[in-house]
Amino acid sequence: MPKTILDYDTVALDDGDSSLIIIDQTKLPNDLVMLHLRTQKEIYDAIYLLEVRGAPAIGVAAAYGIYLAAKGIDTDDYDEFATQFDAAKDYLASSRPTAVNLTWALNRMRDVVTANKTESVAHIKELLLAESRKIQQEDIDTCRMIGENGLTLLHKGDGIITHCNAGQLATSKYGTATAPMYLGQKRDYGFHIYCDETRPLLQGARLTSYELMSAGLDVTLMCDGMAASIMKRGLAQAVITGCDRVAANGDAANKIGTMPLAIAAKHFGVPFYICAPSSTIDMKTATGDDIVIEERKPSEVTDMWYEHPMAPKGIKVFNPAFDVTDASLITAIITEKGVIYPPFDKSIKKIMG
Ligand code: MRU
């Protein structure tokens, strides 16, 4: 069997544990370029520029990134080590604000440093390596379980709309929103997937349609504004997306364009599902109003992907990277621990212990 994009790791450490290897997702689907990142600046830039992207993949990249930073700290003194570790952690955490997995993973790595105060710095570095690998393995296991749980909501022959890329390229394996699709394909569900292109960075066109097609699924690409027409024609039995942060009340931030999909789904009576690893649920964020939304450069809307600018020079541009879907528009949240239903403030609290 020829290799496909799914045979490559989205995020990995090299054999000597001295660099972070990622697929440069800005070059897909045309070129497969693997980047070897060593410095903190390289890792920060890769996250900021979306060379590695998707909430869980950002978390894993940050875990490996902070391990590499820790490995390079040249001191045997715990306090000095912890000070330098925190500086690197704060730097990486500032690369993107919305996906909670970034700070979640960095905080987990910090907990290792805190819990092992009495150990040698050399041993703490070994424990950090083990923790970063554990975070990645958990991501794989989580996505597999989201696939199993998500599949219970679907039927043979369903048409499914998805937005952005919550696929394998956004995680360590399987993806979140795509996990039920991959699993259903193995079990002959015969799904028809409709991918929003996902303006302005085209994650749906460049990444989701590419990885699903590579896996042999039946995929149709459409512009974001076409999803409601698919629903009106009765071609979609479900909408499934990923998310970057779920607030304690169930409001969910995901790629810009998710909220209008949810509004249309409600109008047409199509169930709207959010896939959320528990690492994406942020109990410290009370509601969607408390989620910081990343604003990105105007050139992503006006110039990127085009040979010539496609808007008048100097035009004002609105370019938030994410929107927040109100909990009242979400039919269910699919987590690795099970499928949860409204009222989400109660069901989330229960599942998060
Ligand atoms: O800006 P991106 O490409 O990182 O945005 C990604 C998304 O919005 C995904 O849907 C989300 O991170 C979930 S990935 C499993």
Side-chain angles (χ1 to χ4, degrees):
M1 284 272 277
K3 253 182 155 184
T4 76
I5 188 65
L6 297 164
D7 295 313
Y8 294 85
D9 286 327
T10 306
V11 184
L13 276 183
D14 70 7
D15 289 344
D17 302 327
S18 55
S19 69
L20 174 65
I21 306 176
I22 59 164
I23 302 170
D24 181 351
Q25 299 194 29
T26 63
K27 304 279 189 303
L28 293 174
N30 298 318
D31 299 301
L32 177 62
V33 177
M34 307 302 292
L35 299 177
H36 292 245
L37 312 173
R38 287 180 181 81
T39 68
Q40 292 303 289
K41 166 110 177 57
E42 285 170 344
I43 295 167
Y44 175 101
D45 286 348
I47 296 173
Y48 176 71
L49 296 170
L50 274 61
E51 289 166 348
V52 59
R53 39 127 328 264
I58 293 172
V60 175
Y64 284 141
I66 194 70
Y67 160 69
L68 292 175
K71 191 180 176 190
I73 298 172
D74 188 17
T75 180
D76 293 330
D77 179 70
Y78 176 85
D79 290 332
E80 175 57 26
F81 174 77
T83 303
Q84 290 193 40
F85 182 96
D86 285 341
K89 173 177 172 282
D90 291 347
Y91 176 62
L92 286 178
S94 66
S95 55
R96 293 192 79 187
T98 306
V100 69
N101 302 61
L102 177 63
T103 43
W104 170 86
L106 290 169
N107 287 339
R108 245 181 90 162
M109 296 292 278
R110 181 55 169 105
D111 290 346
V112 171
V113 175
T114 311
N116 292 284
K117 239 183 170 113
T118 55
E119 299 292 332
S120 69
V121 167
H123 186 49
I124 293 175
K125 290 179 183 177
E126 287 168 8
L127 295 173
L128 286 168
L129 174 60
E131 187 70 5
S132 56
R133 290 201 191 289
K134 197 168 160 206
I135 287 172
Q136 181 159 41
Q137 186 55 50
E138 283 176 17
D139 180 33
I140 296 170
D141 298 341
T142 292
C143 290
R144 207 181 41 235
M145 281 316 297
I146 285 176
E148 290 288 356
N149 294 334
L151 199 59
T152 64
L153 303 169
L154 301 170
H155 307 94
K156 291 202 167 183
D158 274 357
I160 304 169
I161 296 176
T162 191
H163 188 72
C164 192
N165 174 265
Q168 173 154 315
L169 288 163
T171 64
S172 300
K173 214 173 166 57
Y174 310 117
T176 60
T178 56
M181 302 175 195
Y182 288 131
L183 209 60
Q185 190 204 16
K186 281 201 181 123
R187 298 180 191 171
D188 293 325
Y189 270 64
F191 293 140
H192 306 284
I193 314 299
Y194 298 94
C195 281
D196 274 350
E197 66 173 352
T198 316
R199 287 278 297 158
L201 291 177
L202 306 181
Q203 290 94 330
R206 295 186 303 103
L207 308 176
T208 308
S209 60
Y210 179 47
E211 63 163 272
L212 293 177
M213 246 181 107
S214 303
L217 275 118
D218 176 71
V219 195
T220 303
L221 178 63
M222 59 183 172
C223 302
D224 298 359
M226 297 169 184
S229 297
I230 290 285
M231 294 183 208
K232 185 163 182 162
R233 290 180 192 201
L235 296 173
Q237 282 65 51
V239 179
I240 309 184
T241 76
C243 60
D244 287 80
R245 189 184 297 244
V246 181
N249 72 341
D251 293 346
N254 191 47
K255 179 55 54 191
I256 191 77
T258 304
M259 170 180 53
L261 252 192
I263 293 169
K266 183 142 197 149
H267 178 76
F268 289 108
V270 176
F272 180 86
Y273 302 119
I274 286 271
C275 292
S278 52
S279 54
T280 308
I281 300 175
D282 182 9
M283 298 304 283
K284 292 201 192 97
T285 296
T287 74
D289 291 342
D290 305 308
I291 299 176
V292 177
I293 300 294
E294 177 182 1
E295 299 275 343
R296 295 186 65 90
K297 287 191 296 209
S299 58
E300 288 180 349
V301 176
T302 55
D303 293 53
M304 218 170 168
W305 320 115
Y306 302 123
E307 201 177 335
H308 304 290
M310 280 296 147
K313 220 175 164 39
I315 187 75
K316 288 189 281 180
V317 173
F318 177 59
N319 188 19
F322 301 95
D323 58 25
V324 175
T325 299
D326 198 90
S328 64
L329 298 170
I330 300 171
T331 309
I333 300 177
I334 305 166
T335 80
E336 76 277 20
K337 300 179 185 184
V339 178
I340 56 175
Y341 294 91
F344 289 118
D345 51 348
K346 293 201 173 57
S347 54
I348 287 180
K349 207 180 255 174
K350 198 164 164 204
I351 211 157
M352 296 299 282

